[in-house]
Amino acid sequence: MAAARELTSSTISADLAEQLSQAIIKGDIAQGSKLSEPELARRFGVSRGPLREAIVRLEGMGLVTRQPNVGARVIRLTVEDVAATFAIREALEGMAARLACSAATDAELADLQALLDQHEAELAASGDGHYADQEGNYDFHNRIIRASHNEQLISLLGDELYARIRMYRQQTADHRTDPRQALREHRMIVDALVNREADLAEMLMRRHISRSQRLLEVYLRESVG
Amino acid sequence: MAAARELTSSTISADLAEQLSQAIIKGDIAQGSKLSEPELARRFGVSRGPLREAIVRLEGMGLVTRQPNVGARVIRLTVEDVAATFAIREALEGMAARLACSAATDAELADLQALLDQHEAELAASGDGHYADQEGNYDFHNRIIRASHNEQLISLLGDELYARIRMYRQQTADHRTDPRQALREHRMIVDALVNREADLAEMLMRRHISRSQRLLEVYLRESVG
DNA sequence: CTGGCCCATATTGTCGACAATATAGGCCCA
DNA sequence: TGGGCCTATATTGTCGACAATATGGGCCAG
């Protein structure tokens, strides 16, 4: 369960939203479990006011569902939800890649290439380091999303969608993605960006995401049933 | 400014969120204006507790921005924002059309065709009825979105994106979309759905949205500058 | 006269308490 | 013994008040 440490972002409500979302993503607060306001308020040492505001935020992030006069429950991830989330992700990140083709600065593209070089080095060194524990993967996708320079898109993917995606990853042990294959696909995407080939970049990104979706779904079906 | 009527959805907070979002979309609460909690609480005859929760919801919808210890302001729509919003809309509704190709039931497709028949009749009757005051247009898009049977996509487009889109439409007098052209494009999209041609449906939907984006941007540039 | 500091004021953030609704358990009756 | 009602309890929703922070205006120095 969640501890009671703080982050102090000048407002308790924002801190609580951050802590609770992380706890849900990591699975410290179990799927389907009820968020009891008195219990959480006591544990975090705050009143119910800011806690309720944080829960409203969680609902907006799609991490909990609420019923009036009943309360909030953590969402329960189903195989269908994975498909739904990844369809959205495919559409939005594909668009991000397209936009990045026009909007990305040369510096951003250089950073992307440097990042992949680093990943390649790490991969060669650690043999099979799971591609930097997935964090490198997130970093790559995040940079392309930011390179779209579309603030709404950045916030939509960052605040809402990736919360659920991280939740899948964190809570489903591991998924059999080949780091070398992922790196190859990342390379191809960056090449398309560098050459400013919008159609190609979007298509490659969509295929890349679609592939990782299939891998995740295969794993879910054979593990959960 | 906003009145003080109610909708009674069993919780004040939800009612307030609904009322405030509508007021912002219609422009009753001006762009860039500050949402004063004491003033709104007094006007609606409620305490600041549920009001603050409603404001958090509005922030999640992207209708207001908040600064800690300062307050919430209604977003200000810029020409760049239109482009950003429509890029997201194009990606998501394109995906919705694609998904609807597999997921839509025959009944849903029949309803869509009936809807377009009705639109055609109204158009022929009223000569130039602006395609049912845009509501018919929203209805068409909404049905396709729902036909995707992707709950997350439905909620994302319905709760967040369409709030901003309606805000553009409502607050920019009129935009010179040709109702007959729109109807033709709608027909083509539905034909693709009926024939279950996913690639074509997505492409047509994206072009349809992209076109309406360009029309709106032209209008904004020559009216606002 | 202008710029910066300081204080009064208003607004936001947080809290504890009350009201209203849902939930669980026992009790009554068939 | 089983099912339904009803009450006791706990939880959610709402309120008013207090604390902390930002805002605006006046005052003083240069």
Side-chain angles (χ1 to χ4, degrees), chain A residues 11-13 46-48 50 69-70:
Chain A
T11 160
I12 294 180
S13 175
V46 299
S47 78
R48 285 176 47 228
N69 295 314
V70 173

Side-chain angles (χ1 to χ4, degrees), chain B residues 69-115:
Chain B
N69 296 314
V70 174
R73 302 195 87 88
V74 177
I75 59 168
R76 202 181 289 275
L77 298 177
T78 69
V79 179
E80 298 79 41
D81 284 336
V82 176
T85 298
F86 270 76
I88 296 172
R89 186 189 170 197
E90 180 183 323
L92 290 182
E93 282 204 49
M95 177 57 77
R98 167 176 291 277
L99 295 176
C101 269
S102 336
T105 65
D106 291 339
E108 286 170 334
L109 294 178
D111 284 350
L112 265 172
Q113 289 179 307
L115 181 69

Side-chain angles (χ1 to χ4, degrees), chain B residues 1-8 12 15-16 18-20 22-23 26 28 43-46:
Chain B
M1 277 292 189
R5 71 190 183 291
E6 54 187 306
L7 300 171
T8 178
I12 293 181
D15 281 353
L16 285 175
E18 177 63 22
Q19 298 220 26
L20 288 175
Q22 288 303 322
K26 287 169 59 181
D28 292 342
R43 184 180 315 165
F44 286 93
V46 300

Side-chain angles (χ1 to χ4, degrees), chain B residues 110-168:
Chain B
D111 284 350
L112 265 172
Q113 289 179 307
L115 181 69
L116 291 189
D117 289 343
Q118 179 194 330
H119 286 172
E120 189 164 359
E122 288 172 6
L123 200 55
S126 74
D128 179 31
H130 273 222
Y131 204 167
D133 262 331
Q134 291 296 8
E135 279 310 317
N137 193 24
Y138 287 133
D139 196 9
F140 172 79
H141 285 274
N142 224 320
R143 284 189 196 221
I144 291 187
I145 291 164
R146 286 203 307 270
S148 74
H149 291 267
N150 181 325
E151 287 303 326
Q152 295 175 32
L153 188 55
I154 294 168
S155 127
L156 203 59
L157 278 163
D159 295 350
E160 299 202 26
L161 222 65
Y162 264 82
R164 258 193 307 254
I165 292 170
R166 291 184 106 99
M167 195 168 162
Y168 292 124

